[in-house]
Amino acid sequence: MDPLGAPSQFVDIDSLPAWNDYCEADQLDSHKTQVEKPQLDVRSPFPYRQDINAKIILWKGNVALLNCTAIVNTSNESLTDKNPVSESIFMHAGPDLRDELQKLKGTVRRFLEIHGETLEKVVFAVSEIEQATYQKLLPLYFPRSLEEEGHFLPCLPADIGNSEGEPVVPERQIRISEKPGAPDDNSDEEGLEADISFIGSHAFARMEGDVDKQRRLILQGQLSEAALQKQHQRNYNRWLCQARAEDLSDVASLKALYQTGVDNCGRTVMVVVGRNIPVTLIDMEKALLYFIHVMDHIAVKEYVIVYFHTLTSDYNHLDSDFLKKLYDVVDIKYKRNLKAVYFVHPTFRSKVSTWFFTTFTISGLKDKIHYVENLQQLFTAIPPEQIDFPPFVLEYDARENGPYCSSYPSSPDL
């Protein structure tokens, strides 16, 4: 208790300014050179909501001195984490705190969307060092206007968790029913068959042991090659099942990946149109699922990929993390049967990026990359009648390299 007449050291939350009251102009100006406005009118998964922003407070200070109902602070399971914030909380709260502490699950944003009416305010109490970081990150999840929402949309990470904001780990998703395989009262025969087929397909049902332990052994190099391959196959099968069950029509409509004819060796030709991939505006996990959905039956035999880099911009460039993830997820047949990647109309920047990626990240691809400066060069490997060209590719090549053949097959839908 404070001495009589002395000002209280505790801070009343109602006296702190809300996130809405922070000026957003400086935020936008500081990012104009880093992020351009998205090309399409697409809403953020975290849309502008004034009611939520009114509950958010960014405050530089000691969280233990807030006059509030509850404090959420990171710690270990036994609550013995030693750091100045934890020690300050325990000093002010007293010995009963250990029996009462509970960890809040999920992200603040998703929690407020679902349970916002039960909370009056949420304060992010930060240090002076952390304050600048929070000021940059909060607009991604709590935009203060429609303009700020659109401006920071490209900055959002690909993985934003589930509807509760929690990260999704497939190995930890366990489906337990009272009577496995038995239909619900309102289910039909098809639902029963689906449930029965699911039994035993999960890692938990197959009693495969501690998934985290297996991952740790992999990192330590203690799992055999056969065990690694088995684990990789199980992981790919999960992706394949999800790809077959998911509605991927929105990705398919982009026409960024399609099968065309065959090359001079009779191998299937797959076309990737870089300009049709709006990286910042689509769900990249769905893009990966669509790739698996289309390519699974193609990759059982030898194939080649023609990638049109023609007239792409920064909004179309797949980042190395996504490409590495795709390469790691796909089955071994994809890598074994891929015989060539024809990189059409490359730029100097794309050549440098590809060299670094295939040298330091995925060395197995390096010898399969072939840079193609013009379509005439491509036709030495693939006959022109075996490729469906997007019209803009033909127009660009004719403008830059001169017309070569007037009977290029083009697709009006591309």
Side-chain angles (χ1 to χ4, degrees), residues 9-10 61-66 71 73 81-94 97:
Q9 62 178 327
F10 294 99
N62 186 350
V63 67
L65 299 180
L66 279 176
I71 290 176
N73 182 57
D81 184 34
K82 296 296 183 182
N83 62 69
V85 177
S86 295
E87 292 173 358
S88 177
I89 292 173
F90 281 116
M91 180 183 71
H92 289 90
L97 176 62

Side-chain angles (χ1 to χ4, degrees), residues 262-277:
V262 295
D263 68 357
N264 290 338
C265 299
R267 301 173 296 202
T268 301
V269 176
M270 297 300 299
V271 172
V272 178
V273 184
R275 192 185 183 190
N276 291 352
I277 308 175

